[in-house]
Amino acid sequence: MAATGKADAAPAGSRRLKRLTREVLELEARLQLGGGPEKIERQHAQNKLTARERIGHLLDPDTRFLEIGLLVAYDQYDGQAPAAGVVTGVGVVHGRPVVVVANDATVKAGSWWPETIRKILRAQEIAMRCRVPIVYLVDSAGVNLPYQGGVFPGQYGAARIFFYNSIMRRYLRVPQIAAVMGPCIAGGAYLPALSDVILMVEGTSFMGLGGPNLVKGATGQTVDAETLGGAWTHTALSGVAHYRVPDDRACIARIRQIIAELPYVPPAGGEAEPRPPARQPAEAYGILPDDHRQPYDMRALLACLLDAGTLDEFQADLAPEMICGTARLDGLAVGVIANARGLVRPPGGGPPRFGGIIYTQSAEKVAYFIETMNRFGTPLLFVQDVSGFMVGPEAEQSGIIRAGARFVEAMATATVPKVVLTINHASGAGYYAMAGQGFDPDFIFTWPTGRMGVMEGESAVYALFGPQLEELKQQGKEPDEELRARIDAVRADYEHQLDARFAAARGYVDAIIFPEETREVLAFALRTALHNLGPHIGPFGALEGVPGTLPSWRAGTGEPQP
């Protein structure tokens, strides 16, 4: 995503959304430079392309690259780990979606930080859950040794990468293509070794469990890198690699050829002729209020995203604080679940309800809708602006816990693709129910205005200091300077952690996206997810042919998928 004048050209409305959009675009532009111009020039002097240049040559011209995790780790390590030293995302090669993992050698020689592992695992999960090929462009010095404690051990340490490699090869049959385009050291060598096809670039690639210095120290032998683990050694002697190519461009061209030769059956039909949205996507800047606590028209916002005239609301007059309905997004059938905002008066009378809050009735409504969409095989789009479930004696006596559990269970066990977009709030258990990250949605995005946290700062202040403040009030006293400082610190800390950039930096969302591109991004994500006709459950999307795991069903036939 290039830094453009998107927000400046938008209609008047939310200054907050415009400002945050500009700030995120500027941040992204800096991060896309990796280690900076000097490191890029050094890469070129070695007759090597940068990670982003390699991806640019790999993908079809004028197609989208949906980058995943660009902001990860940007606010850690004193800014020395832009994008955690690895570029990950989904692009198009010969008309089909492909996941790409490319080490950025301009960032600490492409070494692995703890967050590098997280990004690679997330990319692998997308490939597994969506059943699309994955390409590794390897150029890494291995583990960043000062941070090995967050890289090497643990259930989700580097070993998990090789576990996912193995699952894709043995059970999922997800094609894996690895190109060694620079160093590939120690345990990192297992990533290409566990791929289906391995390419090596002459003169710049090295693959080995130990480099020349380690070999010298361990065995006393003196050997040069090319003899130890160069392209010729591994294609002519060890047989570890399969293809030897003269340079980066030839390597990328061969990868494109390999992908072109893979069998490919695009997802079955079901698409209608796309219609433009009823409102221009940029109009969202004028719909969303400047203050995130203020109401707005969610249906008007949906009109900026969905195909015009296609939203058919389910039980529109029941629990209107939750919007459910079938629609089309760029011609794709989707089931939409969104939070209305503002005060909502139930048609049957009674006290008004707060939009963004989930009540017993609305939880039951959404649970039934999800189950229906799952039976129909319709993907789900969750548009989050949720502050949580209703609390209080009336809510508890109405069975809010049971209804909420049914909502969560329906969402968690739905086997259709799930894509999430956060507009403003993603708070409390409402965030979980609206397909929070812990439930493995296929993709999860946020606008720059997204605020992900257990609660808002003011709620946290009341939870932490409420009794003390109430006691002072009864005594006719004001908080002293120390107490005010503690309260202000809590507010500031929550405001920092509720920023969408904080969530993106920790991988809680796949990407921050902007109103103008949201419709295109959501459609691309859905089309990628639809390549898996089987259950979208967990990181693997269910394993075929393994006793005790969920079967994969060919859509519409009722027969197990071979």
Side-chain angles (χ1 to χ4, degrees):
M1 300 172 213
T4 66
K6 291 182 179 182
D8 293 324
S14 173
R15 291 171 295 174
R16 181 172 62 102
L17 177 54
K18 294 176 187 177
R19 173 179 57 80
L20 291 173
T21 295
R22 284 194 297 268
E23 291 175 1
V24 172
L25 283 166
E26 291 169 2
L27 173 60
E28 289 184 340
R30 292 199 306 271
L31 296 174
Q32 286 166 351
L33 291 174
E38 290 185 8
K39 298 289 181 64
I40 292 172
E41 286 304 314
R42 186 181 303 174
Q43 185 96 338
H44 290 162
Q46 297 171 355
N47 197 31
K48 294 163 63 175
L49 300 173
T50 66
R52 295 184 183 278
E53 289 168 344
R54 289 165 176 167
I55 293 172
H57 285 281
L58 175 66
L59 303 184
D60 292 350
D62 301 318
T63 59
R64 169 171 288 277
F65 178 58
L66 175 54
E67 185 161 356
I68 303 297
L70 173 57
L71 270 65
V72 166
Y74 89 90
D75 58 356
Q76 298 172 259
Y77 311 111
D78 297 321
Q80 297 302 303
V86 64
V87 183
T88 55
V90 187
V92 178
V93 180
H94 286 295
R96 67 187 294 168
V98 171
V99 174
V100 183
V101 176
N103 298 114
D104 187 350
T106 70
V107 180
K108 296 294 183 183
S111 58
W112 288 3
W113 312 74
E115 291 73 19
T116 311
I117 307 302
R118 185 182 304 163
K119 286 187 64 173
I120 295 173
L121 292 175
R122 175 64 185 130
Q124 290 180 310
E125 288 174 0
I126 291 172
M128 290 189 292
R129 196 176 296 130
C130 300
R131 298 296 196 271
V132 298
I134 183 168
V135 175
Y136 308 101
L137 305 179
V138 183
D139 192 350
S140 171
V143 174
N144 192 331
L145 293 178
Y147 302 99
Q148 69 83 29
V151 175
F152 179 74
Q155 183 179 5
Y156 288 91
R160 192 80 176 183
I161 296 172
F162 314 138
F163 174 51
Y164 284 175
N165 284 137
S166 305
I167 293 294
M168 281 189 269
R169 277 171 59 89
R170 181 67 53 145
Y171 296 119
L172 303 184
R173 299 174 179 85
V174 170
Q176 299 179 85
I177 301 166
V180 182
M181 309 179 80
C184 181
I185 304 291
Y190 289 113
L191 186 149
L194 286 164
S195 298
D196 298 298
V197 179
I198 307 172
L199 304 92
M200 294 188 71
V201 178
E202 294 176 340
T204 59
S205 65
F206 172 86
M207 180 166 51
L209 297 182
N213 291 337
L214 182 62
V215 170
K216 176 71 172 176
T219 70
Q221 294 174 286
T222 300
V223 62
D224 64 89
E226 190 65 28
T227 303
L228 182 63
W232 186 85
T233 294
H234 283 310
T235 54
L237 300 180
S238 74
V240 170
H242 308 118
Y243 299 99
R244 177 164 49 97
V245 291
D247 55 35
D248 280 11
R249 286 177 173 80
C251 183
I252 296 299
R254 177 59 71 89
I255 294 172
R256 285 184 54 83
Q257 177 186 335
I258 292 167
I259 293 173
E261 293 169 353
L262 293 174
Y264 180 51
V265 179
E271 291 193 32
E273 186 67 27
R275 300 183 195 173
R279 305 181 69 150
Q280 290 298 315
E283 291 185 49
Y285 288 99
I287 295 170
L288 208 62
D290 194 45
D291 188 333
H292 66 89
R293 297 166 296 184
Q294 295 302 310
Y296 62 93
D297 187 349
M298 175 59 85
R299 289 172 179 81
L301 201 64
L302 293 176
C304 299
L305 305 177
L306 304 173
D307 291 11
T310 62
L311 178 60
D312 184 10
E313 284 201 45
F314 172 82
Q315 292 188 314
D317 296 324
L318 181 73
E321 67 275 7
M322 289 298 302
I323 301 169
C324 299
T326 54
R328 294 275 174 176
L329 176 65
D330 197 38
L332 295 166
V334 291
V336 179
I337 300 165
N339 306 101
R341 298 298 298 191
L343 284 177
V344 178
R345 296 195 176 277
R353 294 178 180 174
F354 297 97
I357 301 294
I358 302 172
Y359 295 78
T360 299
Q361 192 178 56
S362 48
E364 295 283 359
K365 167 184 168 178
V366 178
Y368 189 92
F369 179 73
I370 290 173
E371 290 168 351
T372 301
M373 294 297 98
N374 197 49
R375 284 191 290 271
F376 290 172
T378 304
L380 293 168
L381 172 62
F382 293 83
V383 184
Q384 294 181 343
D385 194 346
V386 59
S387 299
F389 282 86
M390 190 59 185
V391 296
E394 292 183 0
E396 299 294 354
Q397 292 165 18
S398 71
I400 187 69
I401 295 175
R402 180 188 64 246
R406 187 181 171 206
F407 183 174
V408 170
E409 181 183 351
M411 175 276 302
T413 58
T415 59
V416 294
K418 296 182 280 288
V419 176
V420 179
L421 172 65
T422 301
I423 301 296
N424 261 333
H425 306 93
S427 303
Y431 161 69
Y432 290 167
M434 291 287 287
Q437 189 185 37
F439 294 92
D440 285 330
D442 292 77
F443 293 92
I444 181 166
F445 305 109
T446 184
W447 277 2
T449 47
R451 301 170 64 83
M452 187 181 299
V454 66
M455 61 182 68
E456 284 288 328
E458 287 303 317
S459 299
V461 166
Y462 193 80
L464 292 170
F465 304 105
Q468 192 173 354
L469 292 172
E470 191 63 32
E471 183 178 347
L472 288 171
K473 183 179 179 181
Q474 291 175 359
Q475 296 172 358
K477 298 180 180 179
E478 294 292 328
D480 59 24
E481 186 175 339
E482 180 185 354
L483 180 56
R484 286 199 302 270
R486 291 168 59 197
I487 290 173
D488 289 344
V490 169
R491 287 195 181 107
D493 189 44
Y494 266 75
E495 199 62 27
H496 170 65
Q497 294 190 35
L498 288 169
D499 192 300
R501 287 164 289 193
F502 183 91
R506 282 141 192 85
Y508 301 156
V509 296
D510 289 323
I512 298 177
I513 61 176
F514 312 105
E516 298 90 339
E517 64 180 352
T518 297
R519 175 178 159 88
E520 181 184 348
V521 169
L522 295 178
F524 183 71
L526 281 167
R527 286 193 170 92
T528 301
L530 286 167
H531 281 70
N532 180 8
L533 301 179
H536 291 243
I537 295 285
F540 309 127
L543 304 180
E544 291 108 3
V546 183
T549 63
L550 290 170
S552 180
W553 297 92
R554 194 181 301 279
T557 67
E559 296 295 329
Q561 189 172 196

